[in-house]
Structure formats: structure tokens, C-alpha cells
């Protein structure tokens, strides 16, 4: 497979919430680019350990998982160096802490509003002078006891914005991926994807059932993608590795709740170096996030980016990636600060 072809395929690296094991680590195809009318099937196995860190939320909730994804890529060659591919994978996800979730999920409750209303009612009752002092004192004691009970109940309830999670092993979920990708040439690519995630039992805030994420993405390589410092390319040649992408995603929780959607327009840079063609990808841009009505929050613009390093070793590819998002919003159930997702693993192609 030509380096320009590999560079284009390496652009397909980066949705934040769930990523395809094969797509995310540049493992499309198994040989030279296909001629028009040719067909190829490549079996793929990916093993990845990853963790998520929501440092912008109270309690700094975390999730860790080890995924084993088994699947393959069906690819057809088209005219003008283009291709059409269908990729699918499924496998277990061993979960520590909480399960993966769609970006921006919050848990907002009305305790604060109820507390304010109770406080107002309490003050209103104290304003009345038609009770004797002893009855008034008893009423206040009862109200105080009720308030303590409410406070205890509130502390015992697990909220998404005030987590006290432990990170012990929880369970084994099922994770899947399905994508259709059309590339009319070696610089342009369009894809549609579905990322299902099945939570196997109720646990904490995780609800048994099927989570869903739908995505659509377009990628345009501005240069020829042939940037390899091992072959004598210089810094001035990096322009050949620049690309633009637009990624739109929508997510639903396992109880059917619509979490929201986001659109990521990004500028990226991909290049290779070293005798083994070690690949590095860097991309960044704004994230236009629209939360679901459940959150009661306004739309906002965050920053999102990703860095990924991959090293081919025979028929396997070792990879390491870091996805990061920064939000300037400080609202109920959501805080200003960073969210991180880091992962490492290996992809085998056969």
C-alpha cells in the first residue's frame, strides 16, 4: 500500500466518545490499494486498555476498560484510486469504575430548588404570630429533623456531577462498531458509523440496555500525504500532511434518553518518521455541543483535540492515543476544565 494511501487511511483516527478499533489505528486493508473491481477482506483483532478522566466534574469521575474487538474490513476498489469499505467489529469490554458514555453527559437534580422552596416555606411559617412559643419551637424542631433526613437522602444518592465512585472491577459489557466508508479518490473520504454499547446490568448510574452513537464524517487531505522524515523530507514538507475534517455525532443512553450531539471541524497533521514508518497524527479544533433537553443547559463551544502515535510491527500495529477536551462552561452538573481519554493497545491484521 502506498504511503499516500496509508496517510489518508490514518486520518480516520478520531471520534472522542467511542472509536473503532480498526478505523482508529489505521488498519484498513491488508495490502496494495485495490484496482477498480477488485475485492479484499481483512480480518482484524484489536486489544486496547483505556481510561477516561472527567476532571471538570466534581468528584473527578473515572472509567477504565480493556476491550477485545474482533471483526474485519470488506473493501472494494473503485475507479480513480477510490474505494468503498464496510467495517464491523464486536467484543467484550471489561469495565472498572463507570462505563464509557457519550460526551457531555450530566446528571442534574432538583434538590437545590426543593431545598430553596422548603427554606422559603419555613421562613413563611415563622412569620405567622398565631402560634404559641412552645408549638413554634416544636415545629422548628420537626422541620429541622425533616431537613436532616432530606440532607441524608441527598448524600446517599449518586449524582453524575458529584461522584464518589470506586474504580473496582464492575462487570463485562459488550461493545460494537459498524461503519460504511466511501473514498472517491485518495484525498477525500466520507463515512457513516454506528457505535452500539450494551450495559449488561444496572450498577451505579449505569443502566442495563443498549447505548447508541451515530456518526457522520468527511475528511479532505490538502496535500499528497507523502511526508516521511526517514526519506529526507524536511519541515517545509509538512504541508503535504495537512488535512481538514468534519465529524458529527449524536448519542443516546441505555434508557433511551437523548444525551445530545456535537460537531467537530478540525485541522490535522499526519506524517511518518523512523525506519519502521512510525506514524504521528495531531489534530485540533472547536467542538460545537448541543446537550439534550434533560440537562437544561445551553449549547456551547468547547475545544477538542487528539494526538496518536502508531508503530507497525510485522502484521501488528502498536498504538497510543490521547483525546482531550476543554470546556469554558461552568453550569449545574457541568464544570469548567478538562476531560481526557487515553488508550494504548495493539491491532492485528491477517
Amino acid at each position: 500500500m502506498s504511503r499516500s494511501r496509508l496517510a489518508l487511511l490514518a486520518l480516520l483516527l478520531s471520534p472522542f466518545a467511542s472509536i473503532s478499533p480498526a478505523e482508529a489505528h489505521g488498519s484498513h486493508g491488508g495490502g496494495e490499494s485495490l484496482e477498480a473491481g477488485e475485492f479484499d477482506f481483512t480480518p482484524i483483532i484489536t486489544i486496547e486498555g483505556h481510561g477516561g478522566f472527567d476532571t471538570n466534574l466534581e468528584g473527578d469521575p473515572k472509567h477504565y476498560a480493556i476491550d477485545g474487538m474482533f471483526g474485519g474490513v470488506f473493501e472494494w476498489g473503485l475507479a480513480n484510486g477510490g474505494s468503498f469499505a464496510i467495517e464491523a467489529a464486536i467484543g467484550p469490554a471489561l469495565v472498572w469504575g463507570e462505563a464509557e458514555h457519550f460526551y457531555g453527559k450530566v446528571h442534574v437534580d432538583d434538590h437545590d430548588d426543593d431545598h430553596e422552596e422548603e427554606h422559603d416555606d419555613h421562613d413563611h411559617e415563622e412569620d405567622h404570630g398565631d402560634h404559641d412559643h412552645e408549638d413554634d419551637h416544636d415545629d422548628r424542631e420537626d422541620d429541622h429533623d425533616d431537613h436532616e433526613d432530606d440532607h441524608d437522602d441527598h448524600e446517599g444518592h449518586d449524582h453524575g456531577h458529584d461522584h464518589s465512585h470506586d474504580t473496582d472491577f464492575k462487570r463485562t459489557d459488550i461493545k460494537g462498531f459498524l461503519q460504511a466508508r466511501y473514498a472517491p479518490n485518495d484525498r477525500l473520504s466520507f463515512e457513516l458509523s454506528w457505535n452500539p454499547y450494551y450495559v449488561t446490568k444496572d450498577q451505579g448510574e449505569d443502566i442495563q440496555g443498549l447505548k447508541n452513537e451515530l456518526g457522520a464524517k468527511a475528511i479532505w487531505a490538502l496535500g499528497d500525504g507523502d511526508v516521511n522524515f526517514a526519506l529526507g523530507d524536511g519541515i517545509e514538507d509538512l504541508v503535504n500532511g495537512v488535512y481538514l475534517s468534519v465529524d458529527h455525532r449524536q448519542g443516546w443512553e441505555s434508557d433511551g434518553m437523548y444525551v445530545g450531539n456535537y460537531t467537530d471541524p478540525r485541522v490535522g497533521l499526519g506524517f511518518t518518521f523512523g525506519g519502521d514508518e512510525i506514524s504521528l497524527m495531531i489534530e485540533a479544533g472547536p467542538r460545537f455541543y448541543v446537550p439534550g433537553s434533560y440537562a437544561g443547559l445551553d449549547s456551547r463551544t468547547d475545544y477538542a483535540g487528539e494526538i496518536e502515535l502508531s508503530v507497525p510491527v510485522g502484521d501488528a500495529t502498536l498504538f497510543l492515543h490521547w483525546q482531550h477536551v476543554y470546556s469554558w462552561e461552568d453550569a449545574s452538573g457541568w464544570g469548567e476544565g478538562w476531560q481526557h481519554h487515553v488508550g494504548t493497545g495493539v491491532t492485528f491484521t491477517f
Side-chain angles (χ1 to χ4, degrees), residues 121-132 136 140:
D121 291 342
H122 180 66
D123 290 343
H124 179 69
E125 289 176 0
E126 287 182 342
D127 288 341
H128 286 79
D130 52 356
H131 297 287
D132 59 33
D136 203 27
R140 284 197 297 271

Side-chain angles (χ1 to χ4, degrees), residues 122-193:
H122 180 66
D123 290 343
H124 179 69
E125 289 176 0
E126 287 182 342
D127 288 341
H128 286 79
D130 52 356
H131 297 287
D132 59 33
H133 176 74
E134 190 171 307
D135 290 341
D136 203 27
H137 179 72
D138 292 340
D139 290 341
R140 284 197 297 271
E141 285 186 342
D142 292 340
D143 289 343
H144 181 70
D145 292 341
D146 292 340
H147 175 71
E148 287 185 344
D149 292 339
D150 292 342
H151 183 68
D152 292 340
D153 291 342
H154 176 66
E155 287 184 338
H157 187 67
D158 187 17
H159 295 294
H161 61 281
D162 190 14
H163 292 270
S164 56
H165 291 303
D166 63 64
T167 51
D168 294 338
F169 177 73
K170 294 298 190 298
R171 63 184 181 277
T172 300
D173 292 337
I174 304 297
K175 188 175 182 179
F177 175 79
L178 178 64
Q179 180 193 82
R181 177 180 56 83
Y182 168 60
N185 53 58
D186 62 0
R187 292 196 180 189
L188 190 62
S189 176
F190 303 94
E191 61 190 56
L192 297 174
S193 61

Side-chain angles (χ1 to χ4, degrees), residues 64-268:
Y64 303 93
I66 298 176
D67 302 338
M69 303 290 285
F70 305 87
V73 180
F74 300 85
E75 186 170 9
W76 292 263
L78 303 176
N80 301 317
S83 67
F84 176 76
I86 296 177
E87 181 176 342
I90 191 171
L94 283 65
V95 178
W96 285 260
E98 61 181 10
E100 291 184 59
H101 53 79
F102 189 79
Y103 177 76
K105 181 187 174 185
V106 300
H107 185 151
V108 179
D109 63 82
D110 57 0
H111 171 76
D112 293 337
D113 294 338
D114 291 343
H115 176 70
E116 288 179 2
E117 290 177 1
E118 289 176 3
H119 185 70
D120 291 341
D121 291 342
H122 180 66
D123 290 343
H124 179 69
E125 289 176 0
E126 287 182 342
D127 288 341
H128 286 79
D130 52 356
H131 297 287
D132 59 33
H133 176 74
E134 190 171 307
D135 290 341
D136 203 27
H137 179 72
D138 292 340
D139 290 341
R140 284 197 297 271
E141 285 186 342
D142 292 340
D143 289 343
H144 181 70
D145 292 341
D146 292 340
H147 175 71
E148 287 185 344
D149 292 339
D150 292 342
H151 183 68
D152 292 340
D153 291 342
H154 176 66
E155 287 184 338
H157 187 67
D158 187 17
H159 295 294
H161 61 281
D162 190 14
H163 292 270
S164 56
H165 291 303
D166 63 64
T167 51
D168 294 338
F169 177 73
K170 294 298 190 298
R171 63 184 181 277
T172 300
D173 292 337
I174 304 297
K175 188 175 182 179
F177 175 79
L178 178 64
Q179 180 193 82
R181 177 180 56 83
Y182 168 60
N185 53 58
D186 62 0
R187 292 196 180 189
L188 190 62
S189 176
F190 303 94
E191 61 190 56
L192 297 174
S193 61
W194 172 42
N195 297 320
Y197 184 102
Y198 185 76
V199 179
T200 53
K201 66 178 179 179
D202 293 344
Q203 201 165 41
E205 288 197 352
D206 295 327
I207 302 172
Q208 182 177 358
L210 186 66
K211 299 184 181 187
N212 287 280
E213 178 186 305
L214 297 178
K217 189 172 185 178
I219 303 171
W220 177 34
L222 301 182
D224 60 18
D226 191 4
V227 183
N228 190 327
F229 292 115
L231 299 181
D233 290 333
I235 297 298
E236 68 278 6
D237 297 308
L238 282 176
V239 66
N240 289 323
V242 175
Y243 63 92
L244 303 177
S245 68
V246 178
D247 188 11
H248 177 80
R249 295 185 175 270
Q250 304 191 51
W252 291 262
E253 268 299 304
S254 50
D255 59 357
M257 181 186 73
Y258 178 64
V259 180
N261 67 81
Y262 64 81
T263 301
D264 286 358
R266 294 187 179 183
V267 177

